[in-house]
Structure formats: C-alpha cells, structure tokens
C-alpha cells in the first residue's frame, strides 16, 4: 500500500539517487537509494523503524510512502524519549 | 500522515481533528475527568506530557468546576532533567497553569544519579528506582496540591509495552493494575491516576506536537537503554510494521480480559507503609525499601573503603 503513493513523481529508469539524511538527534550524512525509492525504503535501508521516527522531507512532514528525488534533504526525528 | 493500522492518509487538518475526537471520546467513555476534579498533570517536559498539558488546558481551562495544576518530578538526572524542567516551566507560564516541582533529593534523600552510583546498574536497573520514585513523588505532590486525580501522558505504545513487560516478568500483580484509571480508590491518601492519551500512538502524539507548535524536550533519558522496556519496545515496533494494528490489539485484548480476571484475583492487600504512610502492598512501601537498601549499600561501601569514601 505504502509504495503506491507518490508514484507520479518517480522517474523511470534504473540507477541511484543521492539524498542528505539528518538524524535528530544525530549527524547528517549522505545516503544513496534506488531511483524511485520512497521515504520508507530509505528508512529500511538505514535500519530505522518507522514507528520510532517522524520524517520531514525538505522541511515538510510527509507520509513515508512519499517518493524521494535526487538532492532531497530528509530529516529523521526520533520520537523516543522515555525510560 | 499515514495511519497504517486503518489504511488512512490524512492531511494535518484531518489528522488533528481525528486526534481531538479520539481523546474526547476516551475521556468521556471512561469518565476520566469529571465535575469537581482538581487534576494534577504529570509534566516532564517531554512530548507526551506537554501535549497532555495543552490538551487538558484546551478542554478544561474555561470550566469553573475543574482545575488544573502541573507537577514535575525532578529525579535528579544530570544533564537530562534540567532542560526539560525549563520546557515545563515555559509551558505552564504560557498557559497560566500553576506548576509544582518535587525533587528526589528533597524527598528520597538522594538523586537518581546518586542512587545509581551506589547500587550500580546491575542489581536494580535505574528505571526500577526511577519508576518507584516518580510514582511515589507524583502522588505526594498531588495530594499536597489538593488533587483528586493525577493525569499522566502514557500513550498507546507505553500501554502495549507494559502489558508485554508484565508477561515477560510474570508480574500478575502489576498486570492487574493496568487500564485507563489506575489505583486503589478506597485507600485514603492515594490520588487516582488517569491516562487520557493511552489510546493514541506515540508517533501521533509527536506529530500533534509538531503540527501544533507545542514545544517539548526531545532528549532521551541516559538510562533508558538499560531497561527491559527498550527491548520490548523494539519487539512491538517490529511487529507493528509487519502487522499494523498490533499495539491496539495488545491493549484492547488486555482491556477485555483484565476486568474478568480482576474479579477473581486476590493480590496483595493494600495497606499504609509503616514508615511513610503511603499506599503499600507490604509493611514497607517500595520507596522506603529502596531508601533503606541504598543506606545499607552506602554504609557497606564506606566500610569496604576504610570509611574514606
């Protein structure tokens, strides 16, 4: 279900795209994902459980099914605070 | 925002509307806060409690028959509690809610950091001390402030984790105390605890805070990685991704089973602690037991070091 949304924005063809990932708290890094990948794919590749984070793409809160584009800045905000 | 357990994709406006609808329905269905209540809100400064503070302020601040007071327990965790305490102070200042701070150093005789330094992290995980200290002090502060209820920011994830943790530990006594309303109402001096957000997933509380510009402290407790809760949380989150709706299923199943089991369950008889007078399941409450144990451990360490420690 998740991968259906945002398909209109995806570009056809193989290859990789590069996005900047800012983990909050944490450091920024560059990640490479397949062209047409969604935020959920990025989280899976980084081994981050979607239940533990809220994700902003280019400053906007978006569903994890949203597709990624080359050069996107993805903020991954941890929501876990308890003990 | 995607609610995987229902298959919905919601915009900010409809997500917020749904959030309010669910909180109001839960409050009303369970009768959590009623006319005449003075509600002590457990306020750590984290996302759950600051959202709870804002929600209850929005719903009840115009009511003349219900009053609110915020209570922060300062456990004494260096570098962690101070920033969240400031967030709590600012939130109360903005909303005009009275804010009470009660500290472990004053009431328990030592901070949580000091307790951990004495006991280490093996015998009693810091979270065991912290949980007991927080519950005890929240009740003491609420009673001193004249509260009839204590509202806490427990969310759906917390509740699902508690159900599984009680299974993992085999703690039937604790399991009997789960639910929207917690506590022995018949015991004088015990302020009943209510959980208005217990059917809202943790992630949605964080989203609500972000969407509504509610300031909260995102810091992670430095001791949390030592807790059983962390392992259980990972397991439940993995299940939730593979099988959306798992968290609701765990909590709803417990809610359906527990009332039937509680009827035939004879747990420890509640009594007053022989030392502090608070609610206890034995002659001495856990808070006082811990204080005594730490005193003994500290004396033992001093002896071992020739009295120089």
């Amino acid at each position: 279900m998740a991968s259906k949304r945002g398909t209109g924005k995806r570009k056809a063809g193989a290859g990789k795209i590069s996005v900047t990932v800012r983990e909050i708290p944490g450091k920024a890094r560059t990640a490479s994902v397949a062209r047409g990948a969604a935020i959920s794919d990025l989280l899976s590749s980084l081994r981050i459980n979607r239940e533990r984070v809220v994700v902003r793409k280019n400053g906007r809160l978006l569903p994890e099914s949203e597709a990624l584009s080359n050069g996107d800045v993805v903020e991954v905000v941890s929501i876990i605070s308890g003990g | 925002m995607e609610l995987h357990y229902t298959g919905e994709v919601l915009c900010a406006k409809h997500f917020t509307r749904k959030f309010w609808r669910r909180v109001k329905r839960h409050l009303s269905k369970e009768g959590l806060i009623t006319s005449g209540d003075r509600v002590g809100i457990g306020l750590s400064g984290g996302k759950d409690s600051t959202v709870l503070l804002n929600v209850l302020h929005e719903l009840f601040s115009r009511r003349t028959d219900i009053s609110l007071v915020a209570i922060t327990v300062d456990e004494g965790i260096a570098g962690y509690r101070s920033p969240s305490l400031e967030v709590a102070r600012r939130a109360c200042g903005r909303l005009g809610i009275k804010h009470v701070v009660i500290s472990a150093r004053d009431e328990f005789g030592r901070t949580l950091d000091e307790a951990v330094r004495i006991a280490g992290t093996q015998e009693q995980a810091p979270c065991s001390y912290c949980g007991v200290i927080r519950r005890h002090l929240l009740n003491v502060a609420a009673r001193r402030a004249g509260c009839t209820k204590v509202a806490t920011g427990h969310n759906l994830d917390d509740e699902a984790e508690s159900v599984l943790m009680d299974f993992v530990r085999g703690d039937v006594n604790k399991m009997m105390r789960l639910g929207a309303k917690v506590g022995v109402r018949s015991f004088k001096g015990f302020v009943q605890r209510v959980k208005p957000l217990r059917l809202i997933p943790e992630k949605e509380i964080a989203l609500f805070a972000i969407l509504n510009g509610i300031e909260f402290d995102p810091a992670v407790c430095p001791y949390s990685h030592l807790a059983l809760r962390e392992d259980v949380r990972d397991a439940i989150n993995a299940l939730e991704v593979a099988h959306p709706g798992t968290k609701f299923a765990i909590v709803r199943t417990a809610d359906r089973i527990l009332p039937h089991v509680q009827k035939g369950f004879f747990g420890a008889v509640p009594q007053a602690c022989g030392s502090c007078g608070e609610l206890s399941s034995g002659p001495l409450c856990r808070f006082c037991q811990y204080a005594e144990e730490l005193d003994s451990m500290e004396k033992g360490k001093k002896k071992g070091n020739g009295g120089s420690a």
Side-chain angles (χ1 to χ4, degrees), chain B residues 160-173:
Chain B
E161 288 156 18
S162 294
V163 172
L164 280 204
M165 282 167 69
D166 291 339
F167 268 107
V168 170
R169 289 189 294 220
D171 195 338
V172 182
N173 267 310

Side-chain angles (χ1 to χ4, degrees), chain A residues 39-56:
Chain A
I39 292 171
S40 56
D41 299 318
L42 174 69
L43 294 178
S44 296
S45 72
L46 298 172
R47 298 187 177 206
I48 296 171
N49 187 302
R50 71 176 184 219
E51 292 291 307
R52 296 179 71 102
V53 295
V54 166
V55 181
R56 285 195 201 103

Side-chain angles (χ1 to χ4, degrees), chain A residues 12-70:
Chain A
K16 296 264 184 182
I17 58 168
S18 179
V19 297
T20 303
V21 181
R22 287 196 191 129
E23 283 192 59
I24 302 171
K27 291 177 181 175
R29 56 176 149 161
T30 303
S32 182
V33 290
R35 189 176 298 279
I39 292 171
S40 56
D41 299 318
L42 174 69
L43 294 178
S44 296
S45 72
L46 298 172
R47 298 187 177 206
I48 296 171
N49 187 302
R50 71 176 184 219
E51 292 291 307
R52 296 179 71 102
V53 295
V54 166
V55 181
R56 285 195 201 103
K57 189 183 90 167
N58 302 327
R60 288 184 62 208
L61 280 170
L62 292 167
E64 288 106 22
S65 53
E66 186 74 16
L68 293 166
S69 303
N70 198 41

Side-chain angles (χ1 to χ4, degrees), chain A residues 1-2 5 25 49-56 61-66 77-83, chain B residues 2 4 7 9 47 80 202-203 206-207 210-211 219-221 224 229-230 233-234 237-238 240-241 247:
Chain A
M1 182 194 78
R5 195 178 153 86
N49 187 302
R50 71 176 184 219
E51 292 291 307
R52 296 179 71 102
V53 295
V54 166
V55 181
R56 285 195 201 103
L61 280 170
L62 292 167
E64 288 106 22
S65 53
E66 186 74 16
V77 185
S78 171
I79 59 160
I80 306 294
S81 53
Chain B
E2 268 168 308
H4 294 278
V9 180
K47 65 181 185 312
Y80 171 65
E202 181 166 31
K203 183 167 180 167
L207 275 167
I210 293 167
L211 290 171
V220 178
C221 174
S224 63
R229 185 173 289 276
E230 184 72 6
R233 178 184 288 158
D234 284 344
N237 279 337
E240 181 69 35
V241 171
K247 291 171 188 174

Side-chain angles (χ1 to χ4, degrees), chain B residues 144-178:
Chain B
R144 286 177 188 164
C147 296
T148 54
K149 301 260 174 69
V150 169
T152 59
H154 289 90
N155 58 47
L156 180 73
D157 297 51
D158 295 327
E159 292 292 279
E161 288 156 18
S162 294
V163 172
L164 280 204
M165 282 167 69
D166 291 339
F167 268 107
V168 170
R169 289 189 294 220
D171 195 338
V172 182
N173 267 310
K174 236 180 179 176
M175 191 179 288
M176 294 301 120
R177 287 180 254 155
L178 293 171

Side-chain angles (χ1 to χ4, degrees), chain B residues 242-255:
Chain B
H243 309 282
T246 293
K247 291 171 188 174
F248 276 108
I250 293 171
V251 172
R252 285 190 175 136
T253 302
D255 283 353

